[in-house]
């Protein structure tokens, strides 16, 4: 849909966190390099991080499809990665525990996300909706200052369901109260989590696609943007 086709204003804005408000790749890279040093594993090269990232994406996809639990993906991804890299001296459980905290140490905003959330504060209700762990996301949102700008934060670990599950969004709407789904928009970088989830929940969806990736013809977003600066024109405040 052409952005100019948007005619209705929105009352509620749901933000994905990783890859939308905050640069997850930057945080992932910094955390992996730091922990390899701390665990005495030598250098974690960019090539190694790239291989881990592909494993990680596959595991999170399994979570979205309901094929694995959160705990299974958190430790399973490192178990597979360590096995492939020949690392035997560190337990996946210990590494993951440290990793969750280290993820929050590096704050890089996507585009102008902080300024945008701040500018929209008081004009539209804004909430974070994330599948990330409580340990990682709480620290990220606190250090970034986003927790003080948003009207609320909903994490799947607290809710008991992961995006894109209908139950996740139902719990979010129950908590927010007075939700007009026709005037609710979710913005996220994941077609399989944010866009499918939002569509099933009966709200408008906006795919944040900064790298202009090819979409999935089976998954239709109402809007698509490549930079967050394009979002205000959709909100028509």
């Amino acid at each position: 849909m052409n952005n100019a086709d948007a005619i209705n204003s929105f009352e509620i804005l749901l933000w994905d966190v990783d890859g939308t408000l905050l640069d997850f790749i930057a945080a992932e890279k910094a955390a992996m390099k730091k922990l390899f040093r701390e665990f005495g594993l030598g250098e974690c090269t960019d090539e190694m991080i790239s291989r881990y990232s592909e494993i990680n994406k596959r595991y999170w996809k399994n979570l979205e499809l309901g094929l694995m639990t959160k705990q299974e993906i958190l430790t399973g991804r490192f178990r597979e990665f360590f096995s492939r890299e020949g690392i035997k001296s560190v337990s996946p459980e210990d590494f993951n525990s440290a990793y969750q905290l280290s993820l929050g140490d590096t704050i890089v905003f996507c585009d102008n996300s902080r300024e945008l959330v701040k500018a929209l504060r008081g004009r539209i209700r804004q909430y974070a909706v994330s599948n990330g762990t409580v340990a990682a996301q709480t620290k990220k949102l606190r250090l970034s200052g986003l927790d003080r700008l948003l009207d609320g934060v909903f994490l799947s670990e607290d809710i008991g369901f992961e995006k894109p599950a209908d139950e996740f969004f139902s719990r979010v709407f129950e908590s927010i109260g007075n939700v007009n789904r026709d005037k609710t928009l979710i913005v996220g970088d994941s077609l399989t989590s944010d866009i499918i989830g939002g569509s099933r929940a009966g709200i408008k969806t906006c795919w944040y696609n900064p790298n202009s990736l090819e979409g999935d013809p089976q998954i239709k977003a109402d809007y698509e943007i490549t930079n967050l600066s394009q979002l205000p024109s959709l909100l028509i405040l």
Side-chain angles (χ1 to χ4, degrees):
M1 174 184 289
N2 188 292
N3 291 350
D5 292 338
I7 59 175
N8 295 321
S9 62
F10 291 98
E11 299 173 351
I12 296 174
L13 182 56
L14 304 181
W15 286 105
D16 175 50
V17 177
D18 291 327
T20 304
L21 287 174
L22 298 175
D23 188 332
F24 177 76
I25 300 301
E28 175 184 71
K29 182 176 181 178
M32 291 293 285
K33 287 183 175 292
K34 173 188 174 185
L35 292 179
F36 261 60
R37 292 193 299 269
E38 292 185 355
F39 280 87
L41 298 176
E43 179 187 8
C44 184
T45 66
D46 290 347
E47 290 75 17
M48 293 172 71
I49 293 175
S50 179
R51 290 194 291 271
Y52 163 73
S53 184
E54 289 304 313
I55 293 173
N56 186 48
K57 290 175 184 177
R58 175 161 45 83
Y59 272 72
W60 280 99
K61 190 79 66 179
N62 284 336
L63 178 74
E64 295 168 6
L65 294 173
L67 302 177
M68 301 179 75
T69 66
K70 177 69 71 62
Q71 195 54 48
E72 285 174 338
I73 71 158
L74 292 178
T75 56
R77 58 185 176 171
F78 287 119
R79 183 172 294 108
E80 179 175 334
F81 174 64
F82 289 164
S83 175
R84 291 191 177 192
E85 301 297 327
I87 298 172
K88 302 178 181 179
S89 59
V90 179
S91 78
E93 291 77 12
D94 291 343
F95 194 90
N96 176 66
S97 295
Y99 179 74
Q100 294 308 316
L101 295 176
S102 293
L103 273 178
D105 291 335
T106 301
I107 303 298
V108 177
F109 295 99
C110 291
D111 301 331
N112 62 331
S113 63
R114 188 181 189 282
E115 290 77 11
L116 181 56
V117 172
K118 185 176 182 180
L120 293 174
R121 182 171 172 77
R123 303 174 65 190
I124 185 172
R125 287 186 284 170
Q126 303 178 85
Y127 303 89
V129 288
S130 174
N131 282 347
T133 67
V134 170
Q137 304 306 69
T138 299
K139 188 174 183 180
K140 290 179 189 177
L141 293 171
R142 175 174 57 82
L143 293 182
S144 67
L146 289 170
D147 62 345
R148 297 182 293 278
L149 297 175
L150 295 165
D151 294 286
V153 175
F154 296 99
L155 304 179
S156 60
E157 277 188 12
D158 290 331
I159 291 177
F161 296 94
E162 313 284 341
K163 292 183 298 181
D166 295 344
E167 293 88 347
F168 176 92
F169 290 92
S170 294
R171 298 287 177 87
V172 168
F173 297 148
E174 288 172 7
S175 180
I176 294 175
N178 191 28
V179 174
N180 182 342
R181 299 198 186 195
D182 289 334
K183 293 185 177 294
T184 300
L185 177 70
I186 184 170
V187 181
D189 67 307
S190 172
L191 289 173
T192 51
S193 175
D194 306 307
I195 306 308
I196 283 184
S199 296
R200 289 176 178 171
I203 64 177
K204 298 299 183 182
T205 60
C206 178
W207 183 31
Y208 173 53
N209 183 19
N211 297 315
S212 298
L213 301 175
E214 184 175 351
D216 184 333
Q218 302 300 316
I219 305 175
K220 299 293 187 180
D222 294 292
Y223 312 104
E224 179 179 338
I225 58 177
T226 57
N227 191 291
L228 294 179
S229 63
Q230 298 170 276
L231 186 62
S233 66
L234 302 182
L235 301 178
I236 315 179
L237 295 174

